[in-house]
Coordinates of all heavy atoms in Angstrom, one line a residue:
M287 N 134.5 165.8 190.4 CA 133.3 165.2 189.8 C 132.1 165.8 190.5 O 132.0 165.9 191.7 CB 133.4 163.7 190.0 CG 134.5 163.0 189.3 SD 134.1 161.3 189.1 CE 135.7 160.7 188.7
T288 N 131.1 166.0 189.7 CA 129.9 166.5 190.2 C 128.7 165.5 190.0 O 128.4 165.3 188.8 CB 129.5 167.9 189.6 OG1 130.6 168.8 189.8 CG2 128.2 168.4 190.2
Q289 N 128.3 165.0 191.0 CA 127.1 164.0 190.9 C 125.8 164.8 191.1 O 125.5 165.1 192.2 CB 127.3 162.9 191.9 CG 128.5 162.0 191.7 CD 128.2 160.9 190.8 OE1 127.0 160.6 190.5 NE2 129.2 160.2 190.3
T290 N 125.2 165.1 190.0 CA 123.9 165.8 190.2 C 122.8 164.8 190.5 O 122.6 163.8 189.8 CB 123.6 166.6 188.9 OG1 123.7 165.7 187.8 CG2 124.5 167.8 188.7
P291 N 122.0 165.1 191.5 CA 120.9 164.2 191.8 C 119.8 164.3 190.7 O 119.8 165.3 190.0 CB 120.4 164.8 193.2 CG 120.8 166.2 193.2 CD 122.1 166.2 192.4
S292 N 119.1 163.3 190.7 CA 118.0 163.2 189.7 C 117.1 164.4 189.8 O 116.5 164.6 190.9 CB 117.3 161.9 189.8 OG 116.2 161.8 188.9
Q293 N 116.9 165.1 188.7 CA 116.0 166.3 188.8 C 114.6 166.0 188.3 O 113.8 166.9 188.2 CB 116.6 167.4 188.0 CG 117.9 167.9 188.6 CD 118.5 169.1 187.9 OE1 118.0 169.5 186.9 NE2 119.6 169.6 188.4
S294 N 114.4 164.8 187.9 CA 113.1 164.4 187.4 C 112.2 164.1 188.6 O 111.9 163.0 189.0 CB 113.1 163.2 186.5 OG 113.7 162.1 187.2
S295 N 111.7 165.2 189.3 CA 110.9 165.0 190.5 C 109.4 164.9 190.1 O 108.7 165.8 190.3 CB 111.1 166.2 191.4 OG 110.8 167.4 190.8
S296 N 109.1 163.7 189.6 CA 107.7 163.5 189.3 C 106.9 163.2 190.5 O 105.7 163.3 190.5 CB 107.6 162.3 188.3 OG 108.1 161.2 188.8
G297 N 107.6 162.7 191.6 CA 106.9 162.4 192.8 C 106.3 161.1 192.9 O 105.6 160.7 193.8
A298 N 106.5 160.3 191.8 CA 105.9 159.0 191.8 C 106.5 158.0 192.8 O 105.8 157.1 193.3 CB 106.1 158.4 190.4
N299 N 107.7 158.3 193.2 CA 108.4 157.4 194.1 C 108.3 157.8 195.6 O 108.7 157.1 196.5 CB 109.9 157.2 193.7 CG 110.0 156.5 192.4 OD1 109.2 155.7 192.1 ND2 111.1 156.7 191.7
S300 N 107.9 159.0 195.8 CA 107.9 159.6 197.1 C 106.5 159.4 197.9 O 106.5 159.4 199.1 CB 108.2 161.1 197.1 OG 107.2 161.8 196.3
A301 N 105.5 159.2 197.1 CA 104.2 159.1 197.7 C 104.0 157.7 198.4 O 104.3 156.7 197.7 CB 103.1 159.3 196.7
P302 N 103.6 157.7 199.6 CA 103.3 156.4 200.2 C 102.2 155.6 199.6 O 101.2 156.3 199.1 CB 103.0 156.7 201.7 CG 102.5 158.1 201.6 CD 103.2 158.8 200.5
D303 N 102.3 154.3 199.5 CA 101.3 153.6 198.8 C 100.2 153.2 199.7 O 100.1 152.1 200.3 CB 102.0 152.3 198.2 CG 101.1 151.6 197.2 OD1 100.1 152.2 196.8 OD2 101.4 150.5 196.7
I304 N 99.3 154.1 199.9 CA 98.2 153.9 200.9 C 96.9 154.0 200.1 O 96.6 155.0 199.4 CB 98.2 155.0 202.0 CG1 99.5 154.9 202.8 CG2 97.0 154.8 202.9 CD1 99.6 155.9 203.9
E305 N 96.1 153.0 200.3 CA 94.8 153.0 199.7 C 93.7 153.4 200.7 O 93.6 152.8 201.8 CB 94.5 151.5 199.2 CG 95.3 151.1 198.1 CD 94.8 151.5 196.7 OE1 93.6 151.8 196.6 OE2 95.6 151.5 195.8
Q306 N 93.0 154.4 200.3 CA 91.9 154.9 201.2 C 90.6 154.1 200.9 O 90.2 154.0 199.7 CB 91.6 156.4 201.0 CG 92.8 157.2 201.5 CD 93.0 157.3 203.0 OE1 92.1 157.0 203.7 NE2 94.2 157.5 203.4
V307 N 90.1 153.5 201.9 CA 88.8 152.7 201.7 C 87.7 153.3 202.5 O 87.9 154.2 203.3 CB 89.0 151.2 202.1 CG1 90.1 150.6 201.3 CG2 89.4 151.1 203.6
A308 N 86.5 152.9 202.2 CA 85.3 153.5 202.9 C 85.3 153.3 204.4 O 85.7 152.2 204.9 CB 84.1 153.0 202.2
A309 N 84.8 154.3 205.1 CA 84.7 154.2 206.5 C 83.8 153.0 206.9 O 82.8 152.8 206.3 CB 84.1 155.5 207.1
G310 N 84.2 152.3 207.9 CA 83.4 151.2 208.4 C 83.7 149.9 207.7 O 83.1 148.8 208.0
T311 N 84.6 149.9 206.7 CA 85.0 148.7 206.0 C 85.8 147.8 207.0 O 86.7 148.2 207.6 CB 85.9 149.1 204.8 OG1 85.2 149.9 204.0 CG2 86.4 147.8 204.1
A312 N 85.3 146.6 207.1 CA 85.9 145.6 208.0 C 86.9 144.7 207.4 O 88.0 144.4 208.0 CB 84.8 144.7 208.7
R313 N 86.7 144.4 206.1 CA 87.6 143.6 205.4 C 87.8 144.1 204.0 O 86.8 144.5 203.4 CB 87.2 142.1 205.4 CG 87.0 141.5 206.8 CD 87.2 140.0 206.7 NE 86.4 139.4 205.7 CZ 86.6 138.2 205.2 NH1 87.6 137.5 205.6 NH2 85.8 137.7 204.3
I314 N 89.0 143.9 203.4 CA 89.2 144.3 202.1 C 90.0 143.2 201.4 O 90.7 142.4 202.0 CB 90.0 145.6 202.0 CG1 91.3 145.5 202.7 CG2 89.2 146.8 202.5 CD1 92.5 145.1 201.8
A315 N 89.8 143.1 200.1 CA 90.5 142.1 199.3 C 91.7 142.8 198.6 O 91.5 143.9 198.0 CB 89.6 141.5 198.3
C316 N 92.9 142.2 198.6 CA 94.0 142.8 197.9 C 94.6 141.7 197.0 O 94.7 140.6 197.3 CB 95.0 143.3 198.9 SG 96.5 144.0 198.1
N317 N 94.9 142.1 195.7 CA 95.6 141.2 194.8 C 96.9 141.9 194.3 O 97.4 141.5 193.3 CB 94.7 140.8 193.7 CG 94.2 141.9 192.8 OD1 94.6 143.1 193.0 ND2 93.4 141.6 191.8
G318 N 97.3 142.9 195.0 CA 98.5 143.6 194.6 C 98.3 144.6 193.4 O 99.3 145.1 192.9
G319 N 97.1 144.7 192.9 CA 96.8 145.6 191.8 C 97.0 145.0 190.5 O 96.9 145.6 189.5
G320 N 97.4 143.7 190.5 CA 97.6 143.0 189.2 C 98.9 143.4 188.6 O 99.7 144.1 189.2
G321 N 99.2 142.9 187.4 CA 100.5 143.2 186.8 C 101.6 142.5 187.4 O 101.5 141.5 188.1
A322 N 102.8 143.1 187.3 CA 104.0 142.4 187.8 C 104.1 142.3 189.3 O 104.7 141.4 189.8 CB 105.2 143.2 187.3
L323 N 103.4 143.2 189.9 CA 103.4 143.3 191.4 C 102.2 142.6 192.0 O 102.0 142.6 193.2 CB 103.4 144.7 191.9 CG 104.7 145.5 191.5 CD1 104.6 146.9 192.0 CD2 105.9 144.9 192.0
G324 N 101.4 141.9 191.2 CA 100.2 141.3 191.7 C 100.5 140.0 192.5 O 101.6 139.5 192.5
H325 N 99.5 139.6 193.2 CA 99.6 138.3 194.0 C 98.2 137.7 194.1 O 97.3 138.4 193.8 CB 100.3 138.6 195.3 CG 99.5 139.6 196.2 ND1 98.3 139.3 196.8 CD2 99.8 140.9 196.5 CE1 97.9 140.3 197.5 NE2 98.8 141.3 197.3
P326 N 98.1 136.5 194.5 CA 96.8 135.9 194.6 C 95.9 136.7 195.6 O 96.5 137.3 196.6 CB 97.0 134.5 195.2 CG 98.4 134.2 194.8 CD 99.2 135.5 194.8
Q327 N 94.7 136.9 195.3 CA 93.8 137.7 196.1 C 93.7 137.2 197.5 O 93.5 136.0 197.7 CB 92.4 137.8 195.5 CG 91.4 138.6 196.3 CD 90.1 138.8 195.6 OE1 90.1 139.5 194.6 NE2 89.0 138.3 196.2
V328 N 93.9 138.0 198.5 CA 93.7 137.7 199.9 C 92.8 138.7 200.5 O 92.6 139.8 200.1 CB 95.1 137.7 200.6 CG1 96.0 136.6 200.1 CG2 95.8 139.0 200.5
W329 N 92.1 138.2 201.6 CA 91.2 139.1 202.4 C 92.0 139.5 203.6 O 92.5 138.7 204.3 CB 89.9 138.4 202.7 CG 89.0 138.3 201.5 CD1 88.9 137.3 200.6 CD2 88.1 139.3 201.1 NE1 88.0 137.6 199.7 CE2 87.4 138.8 200.0 CE3 87.7 140.5 201.6 CZ2 86.4 139.5 199.3 CZ3 86.7 141.2 201.0 CH2 86.1 140.7 199.8
L330 N 91.9 140.8 203.9 CA 92.6 141.4 205.0 C 91.6 142.0 206.0 O 90.7 142.7 205.5 CB 93.7 142.4 204.6 CG 94.7 141.9 203.5 CD1 95.5 143.0 203.0 CD2 95.6 140.8 204.1
T331 N 91.8 141.8 207.2 CA 90.9 142.4 208.2 C 91.5 143.7 208.8 O 92.6 143.7 209.3 CB 90.6 141.4 209.4 OG1 90.1 140.2 208.8 CG2 89.7 142.0 210.4
L332 N 90.8 144.8 208.6 CA 91.3 146.0 209.2 C 91.2 146.0 210.7 O 90.2 145.6 211.2 CB 90.5 147.2 208.6 CG 90.9 147.6 207.1 CD1 90.2 146.6 206.1 CD2 90.5 149.0 206.8
T333 N 92.2 146.6 211.3 CA 92.2 146.7 212.8 C 92.2 148.1 213.2 O 92.7 149.0 212.5 CB 93.4 145.9 213.3 OG1 94.6 146.5 212.7 CG2 93.4 144.5 213.0
P334 N 91.6 148.4 214.4 CA 91.6 149.8 214.8 C 92.9 150.4 215.0 O 93.9 149.8 215.4 CB 90.9 149.7 216.2 CG 90.1 148.4 216.1 CD 91.0 147.5 215.3
T335 N 93.0 151.7 214.6 CA 94.2 152.5 214.8 C 94.0 153.5 215.9 O 92.9 153.8 216.3 CB 94.6 153.3 213.5 OG1 93.6 154.3 213.3 CG2 94.6 152.3 212.3
P336 N 95.1 154.0 216.5 CA 95.0 155.1 217.5 C 94.2 156.3 217.1 O 93.8 157.1 217.9 CB 96.4 155.4 217.9 CG 97.2 154.2 217.4 CD 96.5 153.7 216.2
H337 N 94.1 156.4 215.8 CA 93.4 157.7 215.2 C 91.9 157.5 215.1 O 91.2 158.4 214.7 CB 94.0 158.0 213.9 CG 95.5 158.0 213.9 ND1 96.3 159.0 214.6 CD2 96.4 157.2 213.3 CE1 97.5 158.7 214.4 NE2 97.7 157.7 213.6
G338 N 91.4 156.3 215.5 CA 90.0 156.1 215.4 C 89.5 155.4 214.2 O 88.4 155.0 214.1
G339 N 90.3 155.3 213.2 CA 90.0 154.6 212.0 C 90.4 153.2 212.1 O 90.7 152.6 213.2
T340 N 90.5 152.6 210.9 CA 91.1 151.2 210.9 C 92.1 151.1 209.7 O 92.0 151.9 208.8 CB 89.9 150.2 210.6 OG1 89.2 150.5 209.5 CG2 89.0 150.1 211.8
A341 N 93.0 150.2 209.9 CA 94.0 150.0 208.8 C 94.5 148.6 208.8 O 94.4 147.9 209.8 CB 95.1 151.0 209.1
V342 N 95.1 148.3 207.7 CA 95.8 147.0 207.6 C 96.9 147.1 206.5 O 96.7 147.9 205.6 CB 94.8 145.9 207.2 CG1 94.2 146.0 205.9 CG2 95.4 144.5 207.4
I343 N 97.9 146.3 206.7 CA 99.0 146.3 205.6 C 99.0 144.9 205.0 O 99.1 143.9 205.7 CB 100.3 146.6 206.3 CG1 100.3 148.1 206.8 CG2 101.4 146.5 205.2 CD1 101.6 148.5 207.5
C344 N 99.0 144.9 203.7 CA 99.0 143.6 203.0 C 100.4 143.0 203.2 O 101.4 143.6 202.9 CB 98.7 143.8 201.5 SG 98.8 142.3 200.6
P345 N 100.4 141.7 203.7 CA 101.7 141.0 203.9 C 102.4 140.7 202.6 O 103.6 140.4 202.6 CB 101.3 139.8 204.7 CG 99.9 139.5 204.3 CD 99.2 140.9 204.1
Y346 N 101.6 140.7 201.5 CA 102.2 140.3 200.2 C 102.9 141.5 199.5 O 104.1 141.4 199.1 CB 101.2 139.8 199.3 CG 100.7 138.4 199.6 CD1 99.6 138.2 200.5 CD2 101.3 137.2 199.1 CE1 99.2 136.9 200.9 CE2 100.9 136.0 199.5 CZ 99.8 135.8 200.3 OH 99.4 134.6 200.7
C347 N 102.2 142.6 199.4 CA 102.7 143.7 198.6 C 103.0 144.9 199.5 O 103.3 146.0 198.9 CB 101.7 144.1 197.5 SG 100.1 144.6 198.0
S348 N 102.7 144.8 200.8 CA 103.0 145.9 201.7 C 102.2 147.2 201.5 O 102.5 148.2 202.0 CB 104.5 146.3 201.7 OG 105.3 145.2 202.1
R349 N 101.1 147.0 200.7 CA 100.3 148.1 200.5 C 99.5 148.4 201.8 O 99.0 147.4 202.4 CB 99.3 147.9 199.3 CG 98.4 149.0 199.0 CD 97.5 148.7 197.9 NE 98.2 148.4 196.6 CZ 97.7 148.2 195.5 NH1 96.4 148.2 195.3 NH2 98.4 148.0 194.4
Q350 N 99.3 149.6 202.1 CA 98.6 150.0 203.3 C 97.2 150.4 203.0 O 97.0 151.3 202.1 CB 99.3 151.0 204.1 CG 98.7 151.4 205.4 CD 99.5 152.3 206.3 OE1 100.7 152.5 206.0 NE2 99.0 152.8 207.4
F351 N 96.2 149.9 203.7 CA 94.8 150.3 203.5 C 94.4 151.0 204.8 O 94.6 150.6 205.9 CB 93.9 149.1 203.3 CG 94.3 148.3 202.0 CD1 95.2 147.4 202.0 CD2 93.6 148.7 200.8 CE1 95.5 146.7 200.8 CE2 93.9 148.0 199.6 CZ 94.9 147.0 199.6
E352 N 93.7 152.1 204.6 CA 93.2 152.9 205.7 C 91.7 153.3 205.5 O 91.3 153.7 204.4 CB 94.0 154.2 205.9 CG 95.4 154.0 206.5 CD 96.0 155.3 206.8 OE1 95.5 156.4 206.5 OE2 97.1 155.3 207.4
A353 N 91.0 153.1 206.6 CA 89.6 153.6 206.6 C 89.5 154.7 207.6 O 89.9 154.5 208.8 CB 88.6 152.5 206.8
P354 N 88.9 155.8 207.3 CA 88.7 156.8 208.3 C 87.7 156.4 209.4 O 86.9 155.4 209.2 CB 88.2 158.0 207.5 CG 87.5 157.4 206.4 CD 88.3 156.1 206.1
A355 N 87.7 157.1 210.5 CA 86.7 156.8 211.6 C 85.3 157.0 211.0 O 85.0 158.0 210.3 CB 87.0 157.8 212.7
S356 N 84.5 156.1 211.3 CA 83.1 156.1 210.8 C 82.2 157.0 211.7 O 82.6 157.3 212.8 CB 82.5 154.7 210.8 OG 82.6 154.1 212.0
Ligands
LIG208 ZN1 98.5 143.0 198.4

């Protein structure tokens, strides 16, 4: 038996779900993007990263938000 892996490499599933936000952003609101994966809007506080920017991960939808160093 030959199990051929899926050749439909659209790349939609491989890209990390990271939202780039403006530098200097202290807080962002996330609602999961609406739709089936949506959730009530919450405000998330970005915290400093070792790279000099800030980042936060939404506890509801695990989406990651990153702001570059300002
Ligand atoms: Zn979210």
Side-chain angles (χ1 to χ4, degrees):
M287 294 199 198
T288 304
Q289 294 273 346
T290 50
S292 175
Q293 295 183 355
S294 60
S295 59
S296 61
N299 292 333
S300 60
D303 195 7
I304 298 180
E305 293 276 339
Q306 295 290 335
V307 298
T311 301
R313 298 207 312 160
I314 57 93
C316 182
N317 64 0
L323 297 178
H325 59 72
Q327 178 171 296
V328 291
W329 283 92
L330 306 171
T331 301
L332 283 78
T333 56
T335 69
H337 310 293
T340 54
V342 68
I343 297 177
C344 177
Y346 287 91
C347 63
S348 297
R349 182 180 299 185
Q350 184 171 350
F351 295 89
E352 281 188 357
S356 54

